[in-house]
Amino acid sequence: REVMGRLPGVTARSLGDAFALSTLQVRGAAPQHTRFFLDGIPLDRADGAPMDLSILPLWHGRRLRVWPAHAPLGMGGGLGGAVALDSRAADDPRYELGTEAGSFDSWSGRLFVAGGGSGGQVGLGLSAATAGGAFPWFDDGRTVYDASDDQWRTRQNNDAQRRSALLRLDRDLGGCRVRAIGHGLDQE
């Protein structure tokens, strides 16, 4: 959402932290009019609600393409444009491991493993993230001039966990290329 908000005519809105609902509004169109694709597969919701940017597997992305208006017909061609995320291909055998930590007891870890042989490749990405959300605050007991009841307290707020996986299989069969994509998301 931070990058999308910098594009002309594009407004990214969020209801809170990295786990909260984030939507994209293009040139005044409603958020549900922007189409989203993962490796060419539409991610439109069956209930017509807007796509939640926070669940896109950007950690497994190779390229992100944005059409703020006049998207190609294959990408919906709608009023709100289109966003296409291409996952990482398994070009060379490799693995990557990354971790991050931040404030409010937040951390994340990612693993990407890729391999291939004659006629086929496989890429697997796993991601886990958590945020405690607790923060300290000073409680003066609503008595400004009486320090006898002053104390530091901890506010428990928005504990969240998210686990995500993306599996990409590419295989040459005869004269055509077959690709299978699987993406799973579990969030508490």
Side-chain angles (χ1 to χ4, degrees):
R1 67 182 181 233
E2 291 85 7
V3 174
M4 295 290 192
R6 295 179 188 164
L7 296 173
V10 176
T11 304
R13 298 183 192 250
S14 175
L15 295 179
D17 62 10
F19 292 98
L21 172 70
S22 298
T23 60
L24 198 66
Q25 193 171 2
V26 179
R27 302 197 191 284
Q32 60 267 30
H33 293 148
T34 301
R35 305 279 317 269
F36 286 85
F37 297 86
L38 175 62
D39 287 321
I41 301 167
L43 298 177
D44 297 329
R45 293 180 41 153
D47 62 0
M51 175 67 186
D52 183 0
L53 292 175
S54 73
I55 67 169
L56 284 175
L58 296 176
W59 52 271
H60 197 286
R62 172 177 51 95
R63 178 175 60 174
L64 184 69
R65 296 174 288 157
V66 179
W67 291 274
H70 309 295
L73 288 178
M75 295 293 176
L79 293 171
V83 177
L85 177 64
D86 299 326
S87 63
R88 295 170 63 175
D91 298 336
D92 298 318
R94 67 173 183 260
Y95 68 93
E96 296 175 15
L97 179 66
T99 62
E100 297 174 356
S103 57
F104 301 114
D105 297 326
S106 65
W107 67 267
S108 67
R110 288 178 298 282
L111 172 68
F112 177 73
V113 179
S118 61
Q121 294 127 3
V122 63
L124 172 67
L126 302 171
S127 172
T130 184
F135 60 91
W137 63 284
F138 186 72
D139 182 9
D140 68 357
R142 295 186 181 177
T143 54
V144 178
Y145 300 109
D146 181 9
S148 65
D149 60 352
D150 294 357
Q151 61 182 316
W152 280 96
R153 296 183 183 262
T154 300
R155 162 87 185 206
Q156 299 299 323
N157 189 28
N158 298 333
D159 290 348
Q161 296 179 9
R162 178 181 289 168
R163 291 164 294 281
S164 180
L166 195 141
L167 175 65
R168 176 178 169 166
L169 303 168
D170 292 301
R171 177 103 179 141
D172 291 324
L173 296 174
C176 66
R177 183 141 182 105
V178 177
R179 176 176 296 155
I181 305 289
H183 178 239
L185 176 70
D186 177 39
Q187 180 169 324
E188 298 175 25

